[in-house]
Amino acid sequence: RKWSVLPRTEYPKPLIFHDGRIAFRPTPISTLCMFLWMPLAFLLAIARAAVFIFLPYIFSVPLLGFMGMHSRVITSPRSHQAARRQLYISNHRTLLDPLYISAVLGHHVTATTYSVSRISEMLSPVRTVRLTRNREQDKGLMKKLLHEGALVVCPEGTTCREPYLIRFSPLFAEVSEDVVPVALESRVSMFYGTSTSKLKFLDPLCFLMNPFPRYAVEFMEKVATGWIGGNKCSSCEIANHLQGEIGKRLGFECTSFTRRDKYLMLASNDGSL
């Protein structure tokens, strides 16, 4: 009865990684509400997914808003719309990140992935391409994809639920002379749309099953990948710099953890499964 939310500042140590689908404290009343909501939630998620997949953005965006999916564009990307071969880098919140970026831009982009399920790839309304984890191969592949059209890359390599950023891979800085950073924030009230389990194909469905899932998308100014403040820099330096800039926009703390660290902590594997 005396339970209350513990402020993040009073945590014994920072909570960066955790797993499980439930995004609320499962008290008897809240658990009952969840089970009562689930039949409608499943049908609503299917309907939302169908809108995402089959309708053009000019129709799907307002319709999804009517269906309870709240989104907010903090900075309009009008200045970037004409750049059909632009590289966008963003922090990684859910598998829907590239869809929200595409929706705001008004056209499809290509998204690079690591260990996304085959079902998610088949159902994705945007093109997804798997990286090989071979640096030279991936660099050549990303250059080819960028030549074909707009490309979205999540340098973290995996999602993070909490207000932290995982270390950025510097590979994107070796692919293009400039990038547009995108700061993403998502919020859910009932089900997390991320997981380290083998049932990753449920991730988008779980996100869409929330009553009012929220996304905020902010397009930042275009950045040259070889320079910081007029000084020439390495790919690692620009990756760390942009991690810090996106973190500042979101109020997130930057970490040196990697995708491998996350999966070793939560799933006892290196994340390649």
Side-chain angles (χ1 to χ4, degrees):
R1 292 179 179 179
K2 295 181 179 180
W3 179 86
S4 61
V5 177
L6 183 69
R8 184 174 295 276
T9 54
E10 296 183 17
Y11 286 7
K13 58 182 179 180
L15 176 64
I16 300 174
F17 301 132
H18 59 88
D19 211 1
R21 293 292 188 189
I22 304 302
F24 60 92
R25 184 172 183 263
T27 61
I29 295 298
S30 59
T31 303
L32 175 62
C33 291
M34 180 192 72
F35 281 110
L36 292 174
W37 168 251
M38 284 185 70
L40 177 60
F42 180 77
L43 296 176
L44 182 60
I46 297 298
R48 287 168 169 172
V51 170
F52 254 129
I53 294 170
F54 296 113
L55 294 183
Y57 295 127
I58 192 172
F59 299 118
S60 64
V61 171
L63 184 55
L64 288 169
F66 178 77
M67 298 171 72
M69 296 191 68
H70 298 168
S71 58
R72 180 185 179 200
V73 181
I74 300 175
T75 302
S76 174
R78 292 178 182 176
S79 59
H80 310 307
Q81 284 184 343
R84 291 283 175 162
R85 296 179 180 177
Q86 182 65 58
L87 176 61
Y88 300 90
I89 66 158
S90 73
N91 59 306
H92 201 3
R93 301 300 285 180
T94 76
L95 292 181
L96 300 182
D97 294 344
L99 299 187
Y100 274 90
I101 292 175
S102 293
V104 176
L105 291 172
H107 60 81
H108 287 323
V109 299
T110 299
T112 57
T113 65
Y114 282 98
S115 57
V116 175
S117 73
R118 295 295 181 186
I119 297 177
S120 296
E121 288 180 329
M122 289 188 296
L123 295 178
S124 174
V126 301
R127 181 187 178 192
T128 61
V129 178
R130 290 195 177 213
L131 298 179
T132 65
R133 294 188 179 85
N134 179 298
R135 187 176 185 82
E136 292 305 315
Q137 269 187 273
D138 289 342
K139 185 192 299 187
L141 177 60
M142 289 167 66
K143 286 183 177 180
K144 179 183 176 183
L145 295 172
L146 187 58
H147 183 72
E148 296 172 356
L151 180 65
V152 173
V153 175
C154 298
E156 289 177 288
T158 187
T159 57
C160 185
R161 298 173 176 177
E162 299 299 322
Y164 296 93
L165 294 181
I166 302 173
R167 191 176 72 192
F168 278 22
S169 166
L171 186 59
F172 72 86
E174 303 171 18
V175 172
S176 176
E177 294 181 354
D178 55 63
V179 298
V180 175
V182 185
L184 300 174
E185 171 65 306
S186 64
R187 295 187 183 277
V188 296
S189 58
M190 192 168 289
F191 305 109
Y192 284 117
T194 60
S195 174
T196 58
S197 72
K198 293 182 179 180
L199 302 178
K200 292 182 181 179
F201 69 91
L202 293 175
D203 287 358
L205 183 67
C206 288
F207 180 83
L208 296 175
M209 287 174 65
N210 283 282
F212 301 104
R214 298 174 180 272
Y215 245 93
V217 183
E218 179 175 2
F219 284 73
M220 299 164 62
E221 292 298 320
K222 187 182 295 186
V223 176
T225 53
W227 303 85
I228 299 177
N231 299 316
K232 199 167 184 179
C233 65
S234 66
S235 59
C236 289
E237 290 172 329
I238 192 66
N240 292 336
H241 172 70
L242 291 181
Q243 181 197 32
E245 291 301 304
I246 292 177
K248 288 178 184 177
R249 291 295 179 98
L250 295 170
F252 288 6
E253 185 176 339
C254 297
T255 75
S256 60
F257 288 117
T258 64
R259 169 190 173 85
R260 186 172 183 272
D261 294 327
K262 171 186 169 180
Y263 277 85
L264 285 175
M265 292 178 189
L266 297 181
S268 299
N269 62 63
D270 63 0
S272 61
L273 300 177

